Amino acid sequence: EVQLVESGGGSVQAGGSLRLSCRTSGLTFDDYAIGWFRQAPGKERGGPLCMIPPSNGRTAYADSVKGRFNISSDNPAKTVYLQMSSLKPEDTAVYYCAAVWALTAAQAMGVAGKDYDYWGQGTQVTVSS
């Protein structure tokens, strides 16, 4: 059974930092790109924030988070991380990790969320002030 489990969410003041984790199981890292989405209160889930490719390669970021968010992975632990800094109130959302069969992170960024293969249940991030 494939599972993606997010953790690390919480409350932080504007300008602060958080690190989210996405621990996976039953999934081969070499076959999937893994990345992050978010859904703000009262809004639809947006497009991919950032992606890491299934093998060594370049990560990809949406303009809204480029320079503030960093995605990384620990392959032996089958875990993907999202380091968030300079957080803004508009970053408040439930953050989800998801996996999709893809050759590159850029390819994954072009895939609609509804077409992603696996999803976690999300973790809440709240940025105040």
Side-chain angles (χ1 to χ4, degrees):
E1 180 182 359
V2 173
Q3 292 186 333
L4 280 68
V5 181
E6 302 94 338
S7 62
S11 299
V12 64
Q13 292 189 340
S17 300
L18 284 173
R19 189 179 75 161
L20 307 182
S21 298
C22 175
R23 185 172 183 177
T24 71
S25 60
L27 184 152
T28 303
F29 265 33
D30 285 348
D31 294 335
Y32 294 88
I34 301 175
W36 295 89
F37 295 73
R38 67 187 178 188
Q39 184 172 6
K43 298 182 179 180
E44 296 291 318
R45 173 178 41 75
L49 300 175
C50 52
M51 303 295 304
I52 193 163
S55 299
N56 289 339
R58 292 184 178 182
T59 55
Y61 297 86
D63 289 342
S64 61
V65 302
K66 190 177 298 182
R68 299 190 299 121
F69 290 14
N70 181 255
I71 188 169
S72 62
S73 66
D74 180 348
N75 284 21
K78 298 182 179 180
T79 301
V80 172
Y81 302 96
L82 180 64
Q83 179 66 50
M84 305 183 292
S85 61
S86 300
L87 285 165
K88 307 172 182 179
E90 52 262 44
D91 294 320
T92 294
V94 176
Y95 283 71
Y96 300 89
C97 63
V100 64
W101 187 281
L103 296 177
T104 66
Q107 182 186 49
M109 292 288 286
V111 176
K114 65 181 179 64
D115 293 325
Y116 274 62
D117 297 300
Y118 305 106
W119 288 85
Q121 294 184 330
T123 185
Q124 176 72 48
V125 172
T126 302
V127 184
S128 62
S129 300

